[in-house]
Amino acid sequence: MQTLWDHRFAQRTQKMQSSAIRELLKFAEKPDVISFAGGMPAPDVFPIEEFKNACIKVLEQNGPACLQYGSTDGYVPLREMIARHTARYGINVTIDNILPTSGSQQALDLIGKIFINRGDRIIVESPTYVGAIQAWNAYGAEFIPVPFDENGMVTNELEARLRAGPKFIYVLPNFQNPTGATLSYERRLQLIELADRYGVPIVEDDPYGQLRYEGENLPAIEVLDSQTRSQTDCYLGNVIYLSTFSKILAPGIRLAWVIAPPEIINKLILVKQGADLHTSTFNQIVAFEVAKRGFLNEHVKIIRKVYKERRDIMLDTLTEHMPEGVNWTRPQGGLFLWVTLPECLNSEDLFDEALQEKVAFVPGSSFFAEGGGNNTMRLNFSNARPEKINDGIARLSKVIKKHLARKGMQISK
Ligand SMILES: Cc1ncc(COP(=O)(O)O)c(C=O)c1O
């Protein structure tokens, strides 16, 4: 329906839609719904006591500075801590390589603001993180999807797409949102080599890298990229790396960081001034207080234990309940797994009935920049309590079986 305001909104808003996930979360929030929908960390692992103590301490010791405006560059001790943390993974960075942002979501938006002209092409995995599509649609980006399998982006398919002159490549290397897949070591190397050869930067979005429950850690793309260059004290390579405190501390503090060459950080600072002046001073100081002296390392161990248990329960109950023809990924970490239904089913058609059964998921089509994935769905395993997971998967499989029966498919199990 046309409204009085339609012709007044900027053209960039025309392609904007509220993300399906945000809309679905409204239903999923109802207390009687078992939600495998949002990407929520488990509230039971939030370090509430530590935050409470840190708030009191920093207000008593440093009250005026906590509550004052800060610099756009961010709180220096926090940036130093991130630099030390990064150095442990074998990459030399200085605080000039680091910018705290109001969540990685803001970093994605600022990256769009400094790089994307209307019609610019961005290479994305297919499927990819819906929040990036949303952020970059606003700048008129065109997306070039690259096929994706259980080892991440199919880098053998990349070269033809690089010839189209993309602005950058967006990649989620670890326990990808939405599929849970991890980019293999060989593909990381191939990606770096190709990106370098074609002079195309890589945006590496890594909110889940620390949440590995089994298998060997793989080096970040930025680390591998830095190894191909002559060593300097400051990172000057081809990768813009994003990570966040959302999944290892708490998303409510909206605190994340970018690691990139200083030239890019300076440009991001410039546009961040126009966006929000700076990331919350109070949140940066409190998060630093909570995270310092090794707390984060210990806390992440607890999170891994809790989420691994939930992942295992979800995998077991999927095996127990799902009919033949339904397949799913077995992520080694992160928050999500990805279900593929028989081709004849559309997960969006299942959604309402699933809600009537009081279970929620995210239809997979939301994660495809250029359409597709109708028979897929994303399930989050971090947020539902173990005893609910079995129940929720049983309800979901009931809905799937009903839809298969309607299509005249034989159901075994
Ligand atoms: C891949 C990816 N990037 C960015 C974000 C946004 O994170 P933040 O809470 O730091 O804004 C998320 C959140 O789920 C994500 O999954």
Side-chain angles (χ1 to χ4, degrees), residues 103-105 108 129 170 172 177 205 207-208 244 246-247 251 254 256:
S104 282
Q105 191 61 40
L108 293 170
Y129 172 54
Y170 176 59
L172 311 173
N177 180 1
D205 191 359
Y208 307 107
T244 177
S246 286
K247 315 293 168 161
R254 310 306 302 127

Side-chain angles (χ1 to χ4, degrees), residues 159 162-163 190-200 238:
E159 193 157 4
L162 283 165
R163 290 200 196 100
Q190 194 181 10
L191 171 63
I192 290 165
E193 194 275 314
L194 282 168
D196 207 33
R197 181 143 44 96
Y198 282 84
V200 177
N238 193 35

Side-chain angles (χ1 to χ4, degrees), residues 233-263:
D233 288 344
C234 185
Y235 176 69
L236 298 170
N238 193 35
V239 180
I240 301 167
Y241 175 90
L242 318 183
S243 195
T244 177
F245 289 107
S246 286
K247 315 293 168 161
I248 52 173
L249 217 44
I253 59 172
R254 310 306 302 127
L255 187 58
W257 66 95
V258 181
I259 305 176
E263 200 180 338

Side-chain angles (χ1 to χ4, degrees), residues 39-52 54-55 78 81-82 85 103 206-211 243-257 282-304 307 335 382:
M40 306 260 202
D44 4 2
V45 293
F46 289 154
I48 293 172
E49 270 306 300
E50 284 75 9
F51 267 96
K52 200 169 96 187
C55 284
L78 179 73
M81 186 179 77
I82 293 168
H85 172 82
D206 186 25
Y208 307 107
Q210 296 206 42
L211 302 182
S243 195
T244 177
F245 289 107
S246 286
K247 315 293 168 161
I248 52 173
L249 217 44
I253 59 172
R254 310 306 302 127
L255 187 58
W257 66 95
F282 184 66
N283 291 1
Q284 288 184 77
I285 297 177
V286 169
F288 172 70
E289 184 59 36
V290 171
K292 73 183 194 191
R293 286 196 280 276
F295 169 78
L296 212 47
N297 287 343
E298 293 310 306
H299 186 59
V300 166
K301 284 184 199 159
I302 297 171
I303 299 178
R304 286 191 200 120
Y307 291 2
L335 268 57
S382 59

